Amino acid sequence: MTDIDTSPIPERKRGSGVKVVYDLLRDEILDLVLPPGSPIDEVQLAERFKMSRTPIREALVRLAGEGLIDTLPNRSTMVANIDFLNMHTFFDALVLMYRVTTKLAAQYHRADDLKVIRAHQAEFAAAVQAQDALAMIATNASFHSAIAEAGRNPYFTGLFNRLLDEGRRMLRLYYQSYDDRLPQRFVEEHDDIIAVIARRDVEEADRLARLHAEQIVHQIQKLFAREDRLDLML
Amino acid sequence: MTDIDTSPIPERKRGSGVKVVYDLLRDEILDLVLPPGSPIDEVQLAERFKMSRTPIREALVRLAGEGLIDTLPNRSTMVANIDFLNMHTFFDALVLMYRVTTKLAAQYHRADDLKVIRAHQAEFAAAVQAQDALAMIATNASFHSAIAEAGRNPYFTGLFNRLLDEGRRMLRLYYQSYDDRLPQRFVEEHDDIIAVIARRDVEEADRLARLHAEQIVHQIQKLFAREDRLDLML
DNA sequence: ACTGAAATTCTTGTCGACAAATAAAATACA
DNA sequence: TGTATTTTATTTGTCGACAAGAATTTCAGT
């Protein structure tokens, strides 16, 4: 009698369920594989991940807590929409967090932090070189997130990462128009920022971060302004 | 045959379960009814609220998302500890959010907002008058939260409310030593802040908020320094 | 054909049960 | 007596089932 494979399916380890679902859904939401407004069906997800609805639901509760999905009680749940009307609040918060985290990095970073930051910057530069807009968006976020980590303030890194996630979603909507000459400028600005952090020049870190942030915000606004005009025509 | 009460227990409405548990646990954690480090038992809570473990768990996932409880996978879950070692990161964030939210309130508030803010200030003043330290802590948080709301930036209000919650927890630990003459000074500072917001003086709002915040931080640090010395003696 | 009520289908919130993982207790052994 | 190992007990993660609401469809009456 031949041995029959008693567990043909990878058979997830106990306790990993919610994390798997959470991580994957999160990625799909941020990458717009699940665009804003997409309905989320619990049973469908349960079938897809081959598990019961219980861990699925817990993952959804987490995502809702981070504002990535909206849940109407007793009704449907869907991917959170992007609030274009109050976008300025997003920009305000983003610019401030750019500044604060960069300043704190200049104050509190250690030698190892710089290595990590430079590695991310290399990846960003490579993405620009390759004219890969999607990679630019992702690596840019990682770069600034690494700077924030070096600042070692969990309250700021928490908010900042959320903002970067939201920004990633917004930029994905428009990444087609991202292939102009500006990115090269961002690479240089990144290098300058690394330099001021390394030499612990807090005031200059604030100034450069602010300029860089406003640069990016301006860029995004330009993209949206273009699209807004399109909206008016429809 | 007499009618038998078919539903003697209030019989919660469907869908309200998690909210009830979440709200109550949250209050108990912030009021230190459940002090930091307290173990949280799912089945015990299930019995207490007379519901199954499923809604309890979803409430716990939410609380974990907000950092109010810590969950070790496959092991116990307990009320989050207060991180005294990195307290300065908390103060940094708190001061900045005081400033930012007050500034934004000066810019974007509407007439109705001022009414709400003044109402909270009245409650705070009453608490000071009554020398009710617990009420002071709560109403002070509400006051500043109301100001933040008037600033209308959900990213900032989100972080700020979290910080205020954490501060509420920390202060509860020491509220005994809160009955000196300083609170009256806070009342006056609050009045000044309301005034600058009303006249939309953004720069002055920033300045006053900063002074006020540093005042409070200094006060808290003094309390903790006293207690630290005690810790060393034990 | 159109409006409103009744019935049906679908989805969600909750439940009780079970098994894996861990902690605690009991036992064996040096 | 102290340490290692097995046994038991406790607690967590997951499951399948069921019932309440909401959405949809069916049907009746004008």
Side-chain angles (χ1 to χ4, degrees):
Chain A
M1 195 205 274
T2 56
D3 270 2
I4 295 172
D5 192 347
T6 52
S7 59
I9 293 148
E11 198 165 316
R12 263 172 297 280
K13 274 156 241 154
R14 174 194 172 84
S16 69
V18 293
K19 188 172 163 39
V20 170
V21 177
Y22 168 81
D23 285 340
L24 210 105
L25 276 187
R26 185 172 177 281
D27 281 343
E28 293 193 349
I29 291 172
L30 294 181
D31 291 346
L32 298 194
V33 175
L34 294 175
S38 303
I40 293 186
D41 185 355
E42 294 177 3
V43 301
Q44 194 175 310
L45 288 172
E47 290 171 9
R48 179 174 163 202
F49 289 100
K50 294 200 181 13
M51 53 175 78
S52 94
R53 278 174 49 228
T54 311
I56 306 276
R57 286 187 118 248
E58 292 190 5
L60 293 183
V61 170
R62 277 186 66 181
L63 290 169
E66 296 174 22
L68 291 178
I69 64 176
D70 288 333
T71 306
L72 317 224
N74 268 321
R75 299 233 200 108
S76 66
T77 140
M78 57 189 216
V79 177
N81 282 100
I82 297 176
D83 185 358
F84 292 99
L85 279 177
N86 298 322
M87 192 112 65
H88 69 103
T89 66
F90 170 77
F91 290 135
D92 283 354
L94 187 68
V95 172
L96 185 67
M97 285 302 113
Y98 261 99
R99 294 174 60 189
V100 170
T101 55
T102 309
K103 267 174 81 169
L104 288 180
Q107 280 187 56
Y108 297 121
H109 77 89
R110 302 173 199 157
D112 289 351
D113 297 328
L114 284 177
K115 278 192 224 157
V116 177
I117 293 170
R118 289 207 176 91
H120 284 292
Q121 161 71 343
E123 282 180 36
F124 177 70
V128 171
Q129 193 70 31
Q131 305 219 357
D132 182 344
L134 254 45
M136 281 189 239
I137 295 170
T139 54
N140 177 65
S142 299
F143 170 74
H144 288 287
S145 181
I147 290 179
E149 287 297 333
R152 296 200 162 59
N153 187 312
Y155 301 103
F156 291 145
T157 54
L159 174 57
F160 192 38
N161 282 327
R162 259 179 85 156
L163 291 166
L164 289 174
D165 284 346
E166 193 65 16
R168 198 167 139 198
R169 248 168 34 114
M170 298 193 324
L171 282 177
R172 290 260 163 173
L173 278 175
Y174 295 92
Y175 76 95
Q176 303 88 340
S177 14
Y178 217 69
D179 47 3
D180 51 32
R181 286 302 104 199
L182 259 164
Q184 183 53 42
R185 177 168 183 177
F186 289 155
V187 175
E188 291 158 18
E189 292 188 1
H190 282 186
D191 282 330
D192 295 342
I193 288 174
I194 293 176
V196 291
I197 291 174
R199 90 170 95 98
R200 300 191 181 279
D201 187 339
V202 177
E203 283 312 305
E204 189 68 2
D206 185 44
R207 203 182 66 83
L208 289 189
R210 175 181 211 154
L211 288 176
H212 185 60
E214 284 167 354
Q215 200 74 255
I216 289 179
V217 166
H218 186 68
Q219 173 81 347
I220 299 175
Q221 281 176 325
K222 239 172 45 185
L223 290 178
F224 285 169
R226 213 184 299 168
E227 191 78 2
D228 281 350
R229 254 172 271 141
L230 274 177
D231 286 346
L232 290 176
M233 291 188 237
L234 296 178
Chain B
M1 194 206 278
T2 56
D3 270 1
I4 295 174
D5 191 347
T6 52
S7 61
I9 293 148
E11 200 164 314
R12 263 172 295 282
K13 275 157 239 152
R14 174 195 173 82
S16 69
V18 292
K19 187 172 165 38
V20 170
V21 177
Y22 168 82
D23 285 340
L24 210 105
L25 276 186
R26 184 172 178 283
D27 280 343
E28 292 193 348
I29 291 172
L30 294 181
D31 290 348
L32 297 194
V33 175
L34 296 174
S38 303
I40 293 186
D41 185 354
E42 295 177 4
V43 300
Q44 193 175 311
L45 288 173
E47 289 171 11
R48 179 176 164 200
F49 289 101
K50 295 202 183 10
M51 53 175 78
S52 94
R53 279 173 48 228
T54 312
I56 306 276
R57 287 188 117 249
E58 293 189 5
L60 293 183
V61 170
R62 275 185 68 182
L63 290 169
E66 295 173 24
L68 291 178
I69 65 175
D70 288 333
T71 306
L72 317 225
N74 268 320
R75 298 230 201 109
S76 66
T77 140
M78 57 189 215
V79 177
N81 281 100
I82 298 177
D83 186 359
F84 292 99
L85 279 177
N86 298 323
M87 191 114 63
H88 67 102
T89 65
F90 170 77
F91 290 135
D92 283 354
L94 188 68
V95 172
L96 186 66
M97 286 301 113
Y98 261 98
R99 294 174 59 189
V100 170
T101 54
T102 309
K103 268 174 81 170
L104 288 180
Q107 279 187 56
Y108 297 121
H109 78 88
R110 301 172 201 158
D112 289 352
D113 297 328
L114 285 177
K115 279 192 224 159
V116 177
I117 293 170
R118 288 208 176 90
H120 284 292
Q121 161 71 343
E123 283 181 35
F124 177 70
V128 171
Q129 192 71 30
Q131 304 217 0
D132 183 344
L134 255 45
M136 282 188 237
I137 296 169
T139 52
N140 178 65
S142 300
F143 171 74
H144 288 287
S145 182
I147 290 178
E149 287 297 331
R152 297 202 161 58
N153 186 312
Y155 300 103
F156 291 145
T157 56
L159 174 57
F160 193 39
N161 281 326
R162 259 179 85 154
L163 291 166
L164 289 174
D165 284 347
E166 194 65 16
R168 200 168 136 197
R169 250 170 32 116
M170 299 194 323
L171 282 177
R172 292 258 162 174
L173 277 176
Y174 296 92
Y175 76 96
Q176 303 91 339
S177 15
Y178 217 69
D179 48 2
D180 50 30
R181 288 301 105 200
L182 259 163
Q184 184 54 42
R185 177 167 181 176
F186 290 155
V187 175
E188 291 157 19
E189 291 187 4
H190 281 185
D191 282 330
D192 295 342
I193 288 174
I194 294 176
V196 291
I197 291 174
R199 93 172 93 98
R200 299 191 182 280
D201 187 338
V202 177
E203 284 311 307
E204 189 67 3
D206 184 44
R207 203 182 65 83
L208 289 188
R210 174 181 211 156
L211 288 176
H212 184 62
E214 284 167 353
Q215 200 75 253
I216 288 179
V217 166
H218 186 69
Q219 172 81 347
I220 299 175
Q221 281 175 326
K222 238 171 45 184
L223 290 178
F224 284 171
R226 212 184 302 167
E227 192 75 4
D228 281 350
R229 254 172 271 142
L230 274 177
D231 287 345
L232 289 175
M233 290 188 236
L234 296 179

